[in-house]
């Protein structure tokens, strides 16, 4: 295996697939556009869902990129050697073009060729879909791997729980995947390999194999009756986590030991005098601060950047910042340190993701503000602890109180235990774990219900509301200010939510003027016209783009007469006449200089 830096791995991956005829596209925003099903972009395929479903991509049928991603389901696990909140996903896609017979040999080539990763083929094991009553065993993938040189005994067949992708909802595109693993413990792996009969195994041991890459083959559609039908357009969707691969290639025990975190660790050491690795307690606190500050830097610096708040993406941002403050306090980080650590990440990534350099002032300002605000909360928590300790009948702090200190004031239970020991008190850890587990179950259930990771909503109602956002932005510019531009949107089949820059709420007269203008354009039944142009030509023609970093050389544009001309990915109504009546329901403040409108379409 080769020793690589993060820069060389990104470059190598993209060039490999560019040589295979793929267009290199930019990373999309961390905040999904017009997709109410998720808070953040969670995988490389997420921004490409319309094209996986059949819409034509301006760059063609073969694409590759490095996508910024955030996953928030395991925030409380961050601090070990492996868990990350923010990560980069290397990926490539075939939109109805090549399939298994090309992708699997390419995967083998990239993994094993000395020109690329140079991994010893003897260190590679493969998993494929075992088949069930719904869909057949994926013997095609297994045979292709054998043709590449992977022996049958190192090819394992797992059920849907291990080697199947999607659909996240009840219906939609799905299919088998094949995963590539590196043997990390030859002794344990040899014993497991010796037992391989080609029959189904539930899983392969994580202490012997490390997953490095995943090829998904979308070849079925799950219908409303629960059946699986062959897809007309078969797609390939692959994912290789950059942090994880760097860790494996460089023989590191932790993802936090790669070049990505090197300067940030040096900054923490300078600020605290404590060295990563001097104890597990110190290392854990380092890892939490490193991950959470990097995550916050990308959230704040994103082209659709957010700010800390008590709802949705802003709540997650606030949570990671405050967790970084708590663990930074354990390290002895002085107040104002998070922005200093964030500077190391801006310097590391500025050439790859230009947004964080453009928005670095906002990154540092918001980190300092939130850190200062939470420091006051911590002081309140200390008072709450003293109050709880003073009111005890015995010498034991109950689990509910310990969890209350964690949930309300941000005290990790380790700090509560430490303060209790100083007063010869105990903490009911079993009760704390019970309260914590109950909280997690409720949170996960709520999250799954509201933000289940799945395909973007392309129902007719959602499509019409998407088109209405174009009319809304154009009307706001005409009625209120030509400088207005979109700062975010969220669309469901019931309503649209549109964020825009403006210093105040609209007056009742302005609200009525915006509604009247939009409904006039709807009454005119103006065709919605899509054309593709080179990006610079589209801009020269007057088409406006919301998030230019995500565009390729050729873009889709949508015109609604001379009223609205935007660069956008779709979907859209064929004409304005089908939309119904537009009504603004509510205005809200989002942050300084950003307002929000919630609106509906009334269709009879």
């Amino acid at each position: 295996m080769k020793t690589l830096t993060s820069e060389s791995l990104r470059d190598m991956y993209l060039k490999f697939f560019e040589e295979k005829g793929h267009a290199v596209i930019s990373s999309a925003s961390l905040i999904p556009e017009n997709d109410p099903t998720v808070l953040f972009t969670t995988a490389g395929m997420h921004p490409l869902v319309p094209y996986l479903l059949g819409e034509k991509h301006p760059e063609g049928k073969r694409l590759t990129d490095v996508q910024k991603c955030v996953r928030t389901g395991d925030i409380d696990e961050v601090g070990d050697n492996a868990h990350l909140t923010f990560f980069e996903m290397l990926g490539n896609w075939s939109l109805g073009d090549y399939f298994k017979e090309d992708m699997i040999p390419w995967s083998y080539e990239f993994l094993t060729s000395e020109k690329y990763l140079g991994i010893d083929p003897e260190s590679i094991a493969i998993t494929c879909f075992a088949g069930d009553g719904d869909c057949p065993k994926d013997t095609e993938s297994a045979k292709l791997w054998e043709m590449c040189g992977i022996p049958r005994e190192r090819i394992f067949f797992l059920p849907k729980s291990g080697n199947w992708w999607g659909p996240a909802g009840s219906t939609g595109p799905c299919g088998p995947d094949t995963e590539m693993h590196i043997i990390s413990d030859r002794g344990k792996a040899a014993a497991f390999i010796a037992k391989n009969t080609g029959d189904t195994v539930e899983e392969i041991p994580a202490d012997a194999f490390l997953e490095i890459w995943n090829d998904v083959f979308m070849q079925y559609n799950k219908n409303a009756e629960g059946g699986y039908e062959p897809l007309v357009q078969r797609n390939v969707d692959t994912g290789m986590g950059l942090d994880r691969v760097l860790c494996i290639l460089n023989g590191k025990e932790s993802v936090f030991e790669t070049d990505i975190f090197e300067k940030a660790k040096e900054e923490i050491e300078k600020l605290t005098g404590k060295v990563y690795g001097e104890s597990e307690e110190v290392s854990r606190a380092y890892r939490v601060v490193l991950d959470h500050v990097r995550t916050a830097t990308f959230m704040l610096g994103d082209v659709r950047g957010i700010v800390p708040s008590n709802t949705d993406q802003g709540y997650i941002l606030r949570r990671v910042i405050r967790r970084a403050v708590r663990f930074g306090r354990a390290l002895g980080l002085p107040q104002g340190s998070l922005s200093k650590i964030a500077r190391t990440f801006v310097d590391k990534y500025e050439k790859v993701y230009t947004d964080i350099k453009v928005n670095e002032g906002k990154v540092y300002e918001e980190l300092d503000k939130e850190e200062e605000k939470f420091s006051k909360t911590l002081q309140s928590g200390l008072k709450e602890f003293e109050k709880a300790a003073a009111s005890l009948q015995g010498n034991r702090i109950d689990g509910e109180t310990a969890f209350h200190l964690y949930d309300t004031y941000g005290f990790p239970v380790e700090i509560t235990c430490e303060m209790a020991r100083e007063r010869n008190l105990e903490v009911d850890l079993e009760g704390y774990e019970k309260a914590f587990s109950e909280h997690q179950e409720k949170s996960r259930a709520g999250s799954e219900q509201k933000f289940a990771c799945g395909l973007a909503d392309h129902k007719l109602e959602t499509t019409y509301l998407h088109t209405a956002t174009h009319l809304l932005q154009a009307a706001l510019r005409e009625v209120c200010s030509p400088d207005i531009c979109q700062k975010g949107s969220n669309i469901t089949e019931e309503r649209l939510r549109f964020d825009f820059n403006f210093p105040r709420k609209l007056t009742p007269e302005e609200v009525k003027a915006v509604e009247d203008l939009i409904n006039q354009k709807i009454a005119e039944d103006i065709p919605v016209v899509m054309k593709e142009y080179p990006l610079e030509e589209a801009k020269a023609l007057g088409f406006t783009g919301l998030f230019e970093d995500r565009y390729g050389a050729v873009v889709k544009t949508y015109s609604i007469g001379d009223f609205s001309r935007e660069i956008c990915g779709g979907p859209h109504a064929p004409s304005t006449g089908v939309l119904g009546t537009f009504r603004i329901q509510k205005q809200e403040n989002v942050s300084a200089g950003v307002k929000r409108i919630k609106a509906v379409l009334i269709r009879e």
Side-chain angles (χ1 to χ4, degrees):
M1 287 189 285
K2 291 184 178 179
T3 300
L4 295 176
T5 64
S6 54
E7 289 84 2
S8 59
L9 178 56
R10 283 191 207 96
D11 189 55
M12 179 186 290
Y13 189 91
L14 295 176
K15 283 185 176 177
F16 176 84
F17 282 100
E18 194 172 23
E19 289 173 2
K20 305 293 185 188
H22 291 64
V24 178
I25 59 174
S26 300
S27 171
S29 168
L30 274 177
I31 316 301
E33 183 182 357
N34 298 323
D35 184 354
T37 64
V38 287
L39 289 174
F40 297 100
T41 298
T42 58
M45 56 74 64
H46 194 170
L48 295 172
V49 165
Y51 311 106
L52 294 168
L53 291 173
E55 192 171 328
K56 182 184 173 186
H57 194 283
E59 296 288 346
K61 294 184 176 182
R62 297 186 178 193
L63 309 172
T64 186
D65 73 356
V66 185
Q67 174 63 46
K68 301 175 292 184
C69 301
V70 164
R71 292 181 185 172
T72 61
D74 296 318
I75 287 178
D76 292 315
E77 302 299 323
V78 172
D80 61 12
N81 279 335
H83 279 87
L84 293 169
T85 310
F86 171 88
F87 60 96
E88 297 170 88
M89 188 64 77
L90 304 163
N92 62 281
W93 292 270
S94 164
L95 307 175
D97 188 9
Y98 60 84
F99 207 52
K100 298 177 187 179
E101 61 278 4
D102 288 313
M103 189 62 235
I104 287 175
W106 289 344
S107 298
Y108 184 82
E109 180 186 359
F110 187 75
L111 290 173
T112 63
S113 170
E114 286 301 320
K115 184 179 176 182
Y116 301 107
L117 299 190
I119 297 171
D120 179 1
E122 296 296 318
S123 299
I124 297 174
I126 302 296
T127 60
C128 299
F129 176 55
D132 55 21
D134 296 324
C135 300
K137 187 174 185 177
D138 190 9
T139 55
E140 298 169 86
S141 293
K143 286 177 181 175
L144 287 165
W145 282 116
E146 282 192 68
M147 290 170 63
C148 289
I150 303 295
R152 189 172 301 178
E153 60 267 21
R154 278 194 269 126
I155 301 173
F156 300 91
F157 289 92
L158 275 67
K160 276 199 175 86
S161 58
N163 277 85
W164 185 268
W165 183 90
S170 57
T171 62
C174 53
D177 65 1
T178 183
E179 296 176 3
M180 292 138 270
H181 302 258
I182 303 299
I183 296 173
S184 57
D185 187 316
R186 288 192 177 273
K188 291 178 181 177
F192 189 73
I193 290 168
K195 298 176 185 176
N196 187 15
T197 62
D199 295 327
T200 303
V201 296
E202 290 303 314
E203 59 183 4
I204 61 175
D207 58 351
F209 301 91
L210 296 171
E211 182 188 343
I212 192 170
W213 203 357
N214 184 15
D215 295 346
V216 176
F217 302 117
M218 298 182 200
Q219 61 189 100
Y220 298 102
N221 180 67
K222 186 178 180 182
N223 59 34
E225 289 72 42
Y228 291 82
E229 307 160 334
L231 278 176
V232 176
Q233 176 180 303
R234 302 189 304 175
N235 305 307
V236 174
D237 162 26
T238 82
M240 176 184 277
L242 183 139
D243 295 88
R244 183 179 180 83
V245 174
L246 274 181
C247 178
I248 293 171
L249 290 175
N250 293 303
K252 304 296 185 182
E253 292 186 2
S254 167
V255 291
F256 296 98
E257 294 173 14
T258 67
D259 67 281
I260 287 174
F261 295 101
E262 185 178 345
K263 294 297 182 184
K265 286 197 290 191
E266 289 176 4
E267 184 67 25
I268 295 173
E269 183 178 341
K270 184 173 76 175
L271 291 165
T272 67
K274 293 181 180 174
V275 181
Y276 182 84
E278 69 179 58
S279 72
E280 178 51 33
E281 182 181 3
V282 166
S283 294
R284 181 167 186 261
Y286 254 89
R287 291 190 289 257
V288 172
V289 173
L290 290 167
D291 172 80
H292 288 0
V293 173
R294 181 173 70 156
T295 301
T297 300
F298 273 95
M299 286 182 180
L300 289 163
D302 192 85
V303 68
R304 302 181 70 191
I306 55 176
V307 293
S309 71
N310 291 322
T311 59
D312 296 346
Q313 289 99 339
Y315 171 77
I316 299 297
L317 172 59
R318 171 164 283 166
R319 185 178 171 193
V320 297
I321 293 174
R322 292 190 168 191
R323 194 163 187 261
V325 172
R326 294 201 322 260
F327 281 86
R329 189 184 183 97
L331 284 172
L333 278 174
Q335 188 170 315
S337 294
L338 298 194
S339 59
K340 292 183 175 69
I341 300 166
R343 287 178 195 276
T344 69
F345 290 120
V346 172
D347 291 344
K348 183 68 177 173
Y349 287 101
E350 63 177 325
K351 292 180 181 176
V352 186
Y353 306 108
T354 55
D355 294 337
I356 60 171
K357 184 63 178 176
V358 170
N359 298 310
E360 66 175 329
K362 174 190 172 186
V363 172
Y364 308 144
E365 180 184 354
E366 292 295 337
L367 282 172
D368 286 340
K369 279 165 52 179
E370 192 65 19
E371 189 174 356
E372 182 180 1
K373 187 184 298 184
F374 186 50
S375 293
K376 296 174 183 175
T377 304
L378 279 176
Q379 292 303 316
S380 301
L382 286 169
K383 292 178 183 176
E384 187 71 15
F385 175 86
E386 296 296 348
K387 210 162 84 177
S391 63
L392 288 178
Q393 298 298 316
N395 69 337
R396 188 178 177 87
I397 296 174
D398 65 82
E400 288 289 342
T401 299
F403 180 72
H404 175 67
L405 286 166
Y406 164 75
D407 187 46
T408 305
Y409 298 99
F411 274 40
V413 72
E414 293 86 356
I415 290 180
T416 301
C417 289
E418 185 178 340
M419 292 189 299
R421 281 195 300 271
E422 291 171 358
R423 294 159 179 78
N424 295 317
L425 300 173
E426 296 178 355
V427 177
D428 176 13
L429 291 176
E430 287 187 11
Y432 169 82
E433 291 295 340
K434 182 181 177 185
F436 185 83
S437 296
E438 289 173 354
H439 169 76
Q440 277 191 317
E441 287 304 314
K442 288 176 183 176
S443 296
R444 282 175 181 158
S447 178
E448 287 167 4
Q449 184 177 10
K450 188 177 181 184
F451 304 111
C453 176
L455 297 177
D457 188 350
H458 286 255
K459 295 185 177 73
L460 195 64
E461 293 81 359
T462 314
T463 300
Y464 289 174
L465 282 161
H466 184 179
T467 307
T469 63
H470 288 243
L471 295 174
L472 174 58
Q473 178 165 254
L476 286 167
R477 284 175 171 167
E478 187 165 319
V479 172
C480 300
S481 168
D483 296 326
I484 283 176
C485 62
Q486 180 178 326
K487 293 297 182 181
S489 71
N490 179 279
I491 300 173
T492 70
E493 57 185 304
E494 288 85 23
R495 58 100 182 110
L496 69 83
R497 192 182 78 193
F498 186 82
D499 299 347
F500 59 100
N501 58 307
F502 202 56
R504 57 173 175 78
K505 282 191 174 183
L506 274 62
T507 64
E509 292 76 19
E510 287 170 332
V511 169
K512 185 175 188 306
V514 168
E515 287 181 338
D516 288 348
L517 182 55
I518 292 172
N519 286 319
Q520 176 191 326
K521 299 302 176 183
I522 291 173
E524 291 173 10
D525 195 17
I526 306 168
V528 179
V529 179
M530 188 282 285
K531 287 187 178 180
E532 293 182 0
Y533 293 102
L535 176 58
E536 293 306 316
E537 184 179 345
K539 290 161 68 176
L541 289 170
F543 288 93
T544 59
L546 303 179
F547 318 115
E548 289 191 2
D549 75 314
R550 67 175 286 182
Y551 299 139
V554 178
V555 295
K556 285 187 175 182
T557 66
Y558 286 84
S559 302
I560 304 176
D562 294 326
F563 185 62
S564 170
R565 295 163 67 82
E566 292 190 26
I567 300 169
C568 189
H572 297 79
S575 67
T576 60
V578 300
L579 299 185
T581 303
F582 182 88
R583 287 286 178 266
I584 293 175
Q585 290 185 315
K586 191 176 183 181
Q587 294 187 71
E588 297 175 348
N589 286 318
V590 178
S591 61
V594 178
K595 297 296 175 281
R596 171 174 294 168
I597 280 177
K598 292 183 179 178
V600 296
L601 288 171
I602 302 169
R603 299 174 61 225
E604 297 178 357

